[in-house]
Amino acid sequence: MMIRAAGIFARRVHAGQVDKGGAPYTGHLGRVAARARAHADALGLPRQHGEWCEQIGWLHDTIEDTGTTADDLLDAGFDPAVVQAVQLLTRPAGKPYLECVAGIIASGDRLAMIVKLSDNEDNLDPARALPAAPPEHGLRYQRSAEMLHAALAPTPSITARGRDA
């Protein structure tokens, strides 16, 4: 129910926006949502987290690219965990991209990390072909994806005998 609501909300607030390739921006949002859900499922996260990742995927640019506020998202009925992740994914004007990604990782919010990784993957997808994007964007998206993969990787557990086991 809330996944559908997130898609409807995103389509409404992003109406008329296009990506750098001239395609409707909501196509990017839908692909990010689907990728985020797939990542959450592959990581074995609880079903609720997968649903939240999908919602966040739809909503990840609402605060940054529209007049939407966190309060608007809460008032629309989205869970505080969803709204928190959308806020983390909102890049403040003038803040370097990779510094923002490092902040998302430092927050420990796996939902935001999954959606940012999904966003990077969509931005790097050759099928998307963003001719207006400068080459350095591809490099920063690649570096960001590497950072996020490392942060989301399972950490090896230490056995009862310690590190020498």
Side-chain angles (χ1 to χ4, degrees):
M1 176 72 176
M2 289 309 292
I3 294 168
R4 186 172 181 273
I8 291 167
F9 189 97
R11 284 182 187 95
R12 181 174 55 80
V13 300
H14 289 281
Q17 292 181 350
V18 295
D19 66 16
K20 291 176 180 78
Y25 195 70
T26 54
H28 166 69
L29 302 174
R31 290 188 303 274
V32 171
R35 284 178 191 267
R37 179 61 180 263
H39 279 303
D41 291 347
L43 288 167
L45 297 184
R47 182 171 169 245
Q48 179 65 67
H49 291 206
E51 291 175 7
W52 284 341
C53 281
E54 198 167 347
Q55 291 172 46
I56 297 161
W58 276 109
L59 301 170
H60 77 275
D61 281 333
T62 56
I63 295 174
E64 185 173 327
D65 293 343
T66 74
T68 304
T69 66
D71 285 338
D72 293 335
L73 294 174
L74 291 168
D75 291 345
F78 295 106
D79 192 278
V82 169
V83 177
Q84 175 182 305
V86 173
Q87 287 178 293
L88 283 168
L89 292 164
T90 301
R91 182 175 164 202
K95 189 167 184 180
Y97 186 82
L98 291 177
E99 190 177 311
C100 291
V101 173
I104 293 166
I105 293 168
S107 77
D109 187 319
R110 289 172 59 87
L111 304 176
M113 286 186 255
I114 289 167
V115 173
K116 187 45 136 178
L117 175 61
S118 301
D119 182 38
N120 289 161
E121 289 171 343
D122 192 60
N123 287 331
L124 287 166
D125 189 340
R128 189 159 177 224
L130 299 176
E136 61 268 15
H137 282 199
L139 295 174
R140 78 177 187 186
Y141 295 143
Q142 186 61 47
R143 178 64 187 128
S144 172
E146 291 166 2
M147 293 165 59
L148 290 158
H149 273 295
L152 289 165
T155 54
S157 59
I158 298 175
T159 65
R161 290 182 28 195
R163 295 184 188 271
D164 298 327

